[in-house]
């Protein structure tokens, strides 16, 4: 595990609370494990990691997000989403492949919705020309996929795009 991933994981475990973990698991009904860290603790941990590891490049951010997502722990996966949210300006249309994998595994609105609303949508809004066309083709393909989280994301993103939410 990278130093940045170890930092995030250790901080999330320290912030965890057994009672909150049990409550979140019962409320969200997922097969994921839970540390019991609050959303605020997750956001603060990602902020602290960005301060500690200031020179994260695009490749560093995407690799760290994948490393965090790899373990089936809700707070780690949420930290991956927060990391992408806070670095969406670094992302390009080629990153939709990684995000697609995250959506396929999300299995919870608490992970899939922020990926859709706060990562995919702003990414598409920022892209122009051929890059945006390629990204829209990927998202359109998701709309035909058997995975319900991909279809949900595609419907949300494409409905806002067709309503004038993005600039072609």
């Amino acid at each position: 595990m990278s130093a940045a991933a170890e930092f995030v994981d250790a901080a999330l475990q320290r912030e965890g609370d057994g009672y909150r973990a049990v409550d979140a698991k019962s409320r969200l009904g997922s097969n994921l494990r839970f540390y019991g860290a609050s959303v605020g603790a997750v956001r603060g941990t990602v902020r602290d990691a960005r301060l500690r590891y200031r020179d994260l490049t695009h490749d560093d951010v995407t690799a760290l997000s994948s490393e965090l997502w790899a373990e089936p722990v809700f707070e780690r996966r949420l930290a991956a989403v927060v990391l992408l949210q806070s670095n969406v300006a670094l992302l390009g249309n080629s990153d939709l492949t990684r995000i697609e994998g995250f959506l396929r595994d999300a299995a919870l609105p608490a992970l899939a919705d922020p990926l859709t609303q706060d990562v995919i949508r702003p990414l598409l809004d920022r892209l122009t020309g051929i890059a945006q066309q390629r990204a829209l083709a990927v998202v359109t393909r998701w709309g035909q996929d058997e995975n319900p989280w991909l279809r949900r994301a595609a419907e949300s993103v494409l409905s806002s795009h067709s309503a004038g939410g993005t600039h072609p």
Side-chain angles (χ1 to χ4, degrees):
M1 190 174 348
S2 71
E6 286 180 9
F7 173 83
V8 171
D9 187 66
L12 293 175
Q13 287 188 51
R14 274 192 313 276
E15 292 288 337
D17 174 273
Y19 293 111
R20 203 175 0 211
V22 169
D23 177 62
K25 182 147 184 91
S26 67
R27 195 171 23 87
L28 296 173
S30 171
N31 291 329
L32 297 175
R33 293 189 334 260
F34 291 81
Y35 289 157
S38 68
V39 172
V42 172
R43 291 190 177 286
T45 297
V46 171
R47 181 197 62 235
D48 292 347
R50 289 183 70 221
L51 291 171
R52 185 176 190 146
Y53 303 97
R54 291 182 185 273
D55 298 326
L56 293 179
T57 65
H58 166 270
D59 291 349
D60 297 330
V61 166
T62 56
L64 178 55
S65 69
S66 289
E67 202 171 0
L68 292 169
W69 194 274
E71 291 294 322
V73 176
F74 175 78
E75 291 84 354
R76 284 178 58 118
R77 290 185 172 187
L78 185 58
V81 172
V82 172
L83 180 67
L84 292 175
Q85 288 171 332
S86 60
N87 289 282
V88 75
L90 295 176
L91 303 178
N93 64 313
S94 63
D95 294 309
L96 288 173
T97 302
R98 180 181 319 269
I99 295 167
E100 177 178 339
F102 292 174
L103 282 171
R104 284 185 185 282
D105 290 345
L108 289 172
L111 295 171
D113 291 349
L115 270 173
T116 301
Q117 303 304 321
D118 302 328
V119 179
I120 299 166
R121 187 172 282 157
L123 171 60
L124 285 174
D125 286 348
R126 191 176 50 73
L127 296 174
T128 60
I130 192 77
Q132 187 183 61
Q133 290 172 6
R134 287 180 178 155
L136 285 170
V138 168
V139 174
T140 299
R141 177 181 51 78
W142 293 353
Q144 305 306 311
D145 198 278
E146 65 185 33
N147 184 287
W149 300 102
L150 286 177
R151 287 195 315 270
R152 177 183 171 121
E155 181 180 312
S156 175
V157 170
L158 294 174
S159 69
S160 74
H161 178 75
S162 65
T166 63
H167 308 286

